[in-house]
Amino acid sequence: MNGKHIRRLGFEKKALPLALAAAQTREAAGVAVPEILDELQAVQADPAAYLAGGVYAELAAHLHDLGLGKRAAEQVQASARLHAAPLPYRVWGEDLIEPGAREQMDVAMRLPIARAGALMPDAHVGYGLPIGGVLAAENAVIPYGVGVDIGCSMMLSVFPQPATSLSTDEARALLMKHTRFGAGVAFEKRERLDHEVLHDPAWKDQALLRHLHPKAAEQIGTSGSGNHFAEFGTLTLRAPELGLEAGEYLALLSHSGSRGFGAQVAGHFTALAQKRWPGLDRAAQKLAWLPLDSEDGQAYWQAMNLAGRYALANHEQIHARLGRALGVRAAAQVSNSHNLAWKQRVNGAELIVHRKGATPAAAGQLGLIPGSMADPGFVVRGTGNSAALDSASHGAGRQLGRKAAANTLARRDVQAYLEGRGVTLIGGGIDEAPQAYKRIEDVIARQADLVDVLAEFRPRVVRMDTGSEDI
DNA sequence: ATGTCC
């Protein structure tokens, strides 16, 4: 009797020495080898029957545990199975939304962890959850339900002086000197500013965060690429609001996120989530989630919230640098995150509400909904619509994808659009052309029951990343 | 969205 006989029966790893020891005991007791092999096969077939005692008990216990482990793993994967039909959800501005975004939201509403959802009128196709998608999940957070740019957000500063007090040339010079745009861009060493968010104790809690801290420190106060911008313009208040009298004011509006730091956090935890559910339906692979009560889920929650605070710190520095250069203190400031997840009570239960390109719009909550580089943006106040999970759109939303915009739009079309509205543009790729976006007036009109408009902001001097194709 | 890897 030797290991070869045992291995041939399919015993491996820890079961192999256990089976061999039992077999040798039987052999010493005078049992013939073919009979022992029959007994081993019987233990293999039904380990539970041999648990009570005897020479095969230890082997049986081990095989029994293996079986339980396998069944548990199967149960875990079964718990990831999608529902056959999506939970019902409301859509605002259905006539403005491409079918692909609806299909993505349908898949999200079939997730076993989904409890409620809504689609905003700026919705368009994204990775996993569509942009403009709102999804409430139970005890789970979906990295791609938040998005790659964790904490992407808006900030508005209103200055107590007329819009005409800053010339186009002055505005352009200020933006060129005090903002930084582009992927990978950081502030020059001697220009860097400190911020309390860089001293947040959370940075020391995870190896990933410790590793990303230097990048965060060098990129703080920068604006990134894509649809991010910083712009001076005119804010029109038709009635007293924000602690200000009605009138026209000089204002600064910025759109920025958590830069390389947030992108790497998103990538790290998306990979962990996808690894966790190898059997997940292909259609939902990018919606892989982390249980909030798991170690990975807790780590993501901490990193995500740190990235959210960091993104707002970026805006604070953008506004502080430009405000200081202007020599004025802002009379009012509004900001909001539109790529983040929040704990929120929904129909009496505490759920995780993901907003991926959606503005929080609880009753009385202030928010900012920008149009495009040459179209107005709006200061809004939420109405607290529960069917929308207290949300609104985060902008106009794309009607052309980046490639489609580059293929169908011409520079002169964009220049004419900018000239017609008196907008000066620094940088800005063709894929960010106003014509690539839905009409903001339509998008605002479709969500009259989600937000009240308090003020209109018209951009005058806009800075964006150069992009691949300069206008 | 990000400088293609944590």
Side-chain angles (χ1 to χ4, degrees), chain A residues 115-397:
Chain A
R115 295 294 177 270
L119 203 53
M120 300 297 110
D122 59 339
H124 57 97
V125 171
Y127 283 112
L129 197 64
I131 317 297
V134 182
L135 180 68
E138 186 170 342
N139 184 38
V141 64
I142 306 169
Y144 264 138
V146 169
V148 173
D149 190 4
I150 301 172
C152 187
S153 41
M154 301 295 307
M155 187 176 278
L156 175 81
S157 287
V158 189
F159 299 106
Q161 59 190 67
T164 50
S165 62
L166 184 69
S167 74
T168 297
D169 285 346
E170 287 168 331
R172 179 206 290 272
L174 286 173
L175 288 169
M176 285 306 294
K177 185 162 185 204
H178 299 289
T179 67
R180 296 291 181 276
F181 281 81
V185 159
F187 260 100
E188 306 79 346
K189 209 161 192 173
R190 57 181 296 272
E191 297 284 340
R192 276 172 213 165
L193 296 177
D194 197 9
H195 191 285
E196 62 177 348
V197 78
L198 297 173
H199 303 278
D200 194 304
W203 291 104
K204 295 191 192 294
D205 274 5
Q206 296 181 41
L208 175 72
L209 299 179
R210 283 194 294 274
H211 170 75
L212 292 172
H213 185 269
K215 181 191 279 286
E218 67 177 39
Q219 292 194 320
I220 197 165
T222 63
S223 297
S225 62
N227 57 6
H228 288 175
F229 61 78
E231 58 195 25
F232 282 105
T234 306
L235 186 85
T236 304
L237 278 168
R238 289 186 203 289
E241 274 294 356
L242 312 173
L244 300 167
E245 293 174 15
E248 296 205 331
Y249 296 88
L250 176 69
L252 169 69
L253 183 66
S254 58
H255 182 205
S256 183
S258 52
R259 311 289 288 105
F261 159 49
Q264 296 217 25
V265 168
H268 176 77
F269 286 99
T270 293
L272 286 182
Q274 293 190 358
K275 212 164 104 187
R276 196 177 192 101
W277 308 108
L280 190 58
D281 195 308
R282 267 184 68 88
Q285 249 164 30
K286 287 199 159 64
L287 289 167
W289 63 91
L290 297 168
L292 199 65
D293 56 11
S294 69
E295 200 175 320
D296 290 345
Q298 285 293 303
Y300 177 75
W301 192 254
Q302 180 184 46
M304 178 201 79
N305 280 301
L306 181 60
R309 295 194 290 278
Y310 175 78
L312 290 174
N314 282 342
H315 286 278
E316 282 177 21
Q317 287 203 354
I318 292 165
H319 287 240
R321 285 171 192 273
L322 288 165
R324 189 192 300 165
L326 270 172
V328 226
R329 189 180 285 271
Q333 206 163 57
V334 179
S335 65
N336 72 266
S337 305
H338 52 226
N339 284 10
L340 212 62
W342 288 262
K343 288 180 181 171
Q344 185 178 321
R345 285 200 87 75
V346 180
N347 303 324
E350 186 183 86
L351 299 178
I352 303 304
V353 173
H354 303 73
R355 291 189 183 84
K356 187 188 191 185
T359 303
Q365 191 170 16
L366 296 178
L368 300 164
I369 302 180
S372 78
M373 56 166 70
D375 292 291
F378 298 92
V379 183
V380 298
R381 176 178 285 138
T383 61
N385 188 309
S386 56
L389 304 168
D390 290 354
S391 310
S393 89
H394 82 309

Side-chain angles (χ1 to χ4, degrees), chain A residues 52-124:
Chain A
V55 70
Y56 292 114
E58 210 181 333
L59 173 66
H62 176 65
L63 294 177
H64 188 66
D65 287 350
L66 280 182
L68 285 181
K70 198 176 160 209
R71 270 196 296 285
E74 281 164 1
Q75 271 170 13
V76 164
Q77 289 312 313
S79 74
R81 208 162 287 151
L82 302 190
H83 297 305
L87 289 176
Y89 63 93
R90 272 198 59 183
V91 180
W92 272 261
E94 193 159 4
D95 59 314
L96 302 178
I97 298 174
E98 58 186 325
R102 286 294 305 269
E103 287 157 17
Q104 287 190 314
M105 195 67 204
D106 285 348
V107 172
M109 296 305 289
R110 291 174 55 206
L111 293 173
I113 52 157
R115 295 294 177 270
L119 203 53
M120 300 297 110
D122 59 339
H124 57 97

